Amino acid sequence: MFVAIFSIILIIIDQFTKYLVVTNIANENPVVLIDNFLKLYYIENRGAAFGILQGFRSLFTVITILVLLFLIVFLIRNYNKVPFIYLVSFSLLIGGTIGNFIDRIRLHYVVDFISMRFFGHDFAIFNFADMFIVLGTVLISIGIVLHDNKR
């Protein structure tokens, strides 16, 4: 139940922030939040991470459905045996994956809008769903080190 509720909250956060960007920033100049570090843009990403594989929407659909099915089946079979850090991780992965999947199905692209600059270099423009996926992956890595490494 925790995973479902947390995932739904994350999907709402992702979709609401994208709605705000579409209604307030699309066709406008970037919004500078922190000079030379953080800006908000409106970008239509028709590819995967960093805009690669543009035009492969069917492939993304199949991969997304397979990943979601794997996570859900794994959770159904192992929910009471899984450490809490994995439940949070899977929630983040499911919420982020569904957030971007909604865009791909509804709009045929993903709305990206957060732009960061590190040490004079621009990082890829991303959204909250992307952050949830990355954070979920990092937490899985931490879980492996903390819970699955017997040493």
Side-chain angles (χ1 to χ4, degrees):
M1 186 60 116
F2 167 79
V3 173
I5 292 169
F6 190 39
S7 296
I8 290 168
I9 291 168
L10 296 172
I11 294 164
I12 291 168
I13 290 168
D14 175 66
Q15 290 297 300
F16 182 66
T17 56
K18 289 173 180 175
Y19 167 79
L20 290 175
V21 167
V22 169
T23 57
N24 295 299
I25 298 177
N27 303 317
E28 300 290 332
N29 290 327
V31 175
V32 178
L33 298 177
I34 302 173
D35 197 32
N36 289 320
F37 178 68
L38 181 62
K39 295 180 184 177
L40 300 179
Y41 284 88
Y42 170 78
I43 300 292
E44 297 175 1
N45 182 355
R46 298 176 192 283
F50 310 110
I52 62 172
L53 298 175
Q54 294 200 22
F56 286 84
R57 194 170 136 241
S58 297
L59 176 65
F60 297 138
T61 300
V62 170
I63 290 171
T64 299
I65 291 169
L66 290 174
V67 166
L68 288 171
L69 283 174
F70 171 79
L71 289 172
I72 292 167
V73 168
F74 180 84
L75 280 170
I76 289 170
R77 290 183 175 178
N78 301 290
Y79 193 84
N80 294 324
K81 299 180 246 174
V82 176
F84 185 70
I85 192 169
Y86 290 132
L87 297 179
V88 173
S89 302
F90 293 158
S91 300
L92 287 160
L93 291 171
I94 291 168
T97 301
I98 292 174
N100 280 340
F101 190 59
I102 289 169
D103 283 10
R104 289 193 194 287
I105 297 300
R106 189 172 64 90
L107 304 170
H108 303 283
Y109 56 84
V110 173
V111 175
D112 287 334
F113 57 92
I114 303 168
S115 173
M116 299 181 82
R117 188 172 180 84
F118 294 103
F119 305 107
H121 299 284
D122 291 322
F123 189 72
I125 299 174
F126 55 97
N127 59 45
F128 276 88
D130 297 334
M131 287 193 297
F132 300 152
I133 292 167
V134 169
L135 184 57
T137 304
V138 169
L139 286 179
I140 286 173
S141 301
I142 292 170
I144 290 169
V145 170
L146 294 179
H147 293 286
D148 297 343
N149 188 352
K150 300 297 182 195
R151 290 189 246 171

